[in-house]
């Protein structure tokens, strides 16, 4: 579950930060009084640690769990009254199959969850080396159904 996701995502996020530390370090020192380079070396590479070091100070959350709770849509999905379609790919590195709560979507007749096996995070590409995206057809079908 979340443990694998936490470690998997942490690696990519920390690699990005470490590769760009020369650009990030001065900003984090002046804006947040944080020695980001030292924090990256002394903390475990994880999704939660990333948010503790980056998202929390930059956006004013209390802590990483405060961010996770407020950013996740699951508490709001049951209250949706306007027909809404969510798109998600099963191999999404941020919000893949292991973190999708399918039951919450099934319980609200106003929401539809459209998934694709391979699409990444925001690209919704039909194939790995293709610019053709799959999201247009189900999105238009959903809107057409609403119109009818």
């Amino acid at each position: 579950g979340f443990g694998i996701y936490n470690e998997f995502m942490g690696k990519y996020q920390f690699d990005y930060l470490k590769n760009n530390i020369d650009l990030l370090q001065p900003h984090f020192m002046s804006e947040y009084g944080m020695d980001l380079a030292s924090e990256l070396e002394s903390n475990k590479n994880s999704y939660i640690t990333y948010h503790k070091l980056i998202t929390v100070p930059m956006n004013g959350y209390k802590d990483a769990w405060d961010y996770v709770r407020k950013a996740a849509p699951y508490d709001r999905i049951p209250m949706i009254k306007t027909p809404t379609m969510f798109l998600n790919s099963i191999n999404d590195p941020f919000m893949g199959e292991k973190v999708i709560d399918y039951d919450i979507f099934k319980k609200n007749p106003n929401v539809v969850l459209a998934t694709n096996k391979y699409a990444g995070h925001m690209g919704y590409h039909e194939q790995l080396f293709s610019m053709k995206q799959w999201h247009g057809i189900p999105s238009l079908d959903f809107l057409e159904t609403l119109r009818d």
Side-chain angles (χ1 to χ4, degrees):
F2 185 75
I4 293 168
Y5 171 75
N6 188 29
E7 291 174 26
F8 172 74
M9 282 314 307
K11 176 181 178 0
Y12 290 103
Q13 291 167 318
F14 272 71
D15 287 349
Y16 177 81
L17 294 173
K18 289 174 183 176
N19 289 335
N20 291 286
I21 196 66
D22 292 344
L23 296 170
L24 297 169
Q25 181 72 5
H27 175 76
F28 274 78
M29 279 300 259
S30 67
E31 292 296 317
Y32 312 113
M34 180 192 301
D35 182 350
L36 185 59
S38 294
E39 291 290 340
L40 292 173
E41 292 304 318
S42 64
N43 280 284
K44 181 180 178 187
N45 294 2
S46 73
Y47 176 78
I48 293 299
T49 302
Y50 173 86
H51 289 300
K52 178 184 103 175
L53 297 177
I54 306 301
T55 309
V56 169
M58 291 182 76
N59 296 287
Y61 291 103
K62 289 185 282 186
D63 56 35
W65 291 108
D66 181 44
Y67 161 71
V68 169
R69 276 189 308 280
K70 289 179 178 172
Y74 294 117
D75 291 338
R76 295 180 292 281
I77 291 172
M79 297 178 285
I80 293 175
K81 301 217 182 314
T82 302
T84 304
M85 183 171 75
F86 290 80
L87 296 174
N88 208 102
S89 66
I90 301 303
N91 73 333
D92 183 326
F94 292 99
M95 300 302 298
E97 185 173 39
K98 292 184 190 273
V99 297
I100 298 172
D101 184 348
Y102 291 98
D103 289 334
I104 203 130
F105 289 96
K106 291 176 187 174
K107 290 178 184 174
N108 186 336
N110 297 312
V111 299
V112 173
L113 173 64
T115 61
N116 191 27
K117 192 170 183 179
Y118 304 107
H121 182 58
M122 293 175 56
Y124 304 107
H125 294 277
E126 290 185 8
Q127 297 175 2
L128 184 59
F129 297 108
S130 167
M131 292 308 291
K132 189 173 180 186
Q133 297 182 331
W134 68 272
H135 71 282
I137 292 172
S139 298
L140 292 173
D141 286 348
F142 176 75
L143 293 171
E144 184 118 345
T145 301
L146 292 178
R147 186 180 70 179
D148 294 341

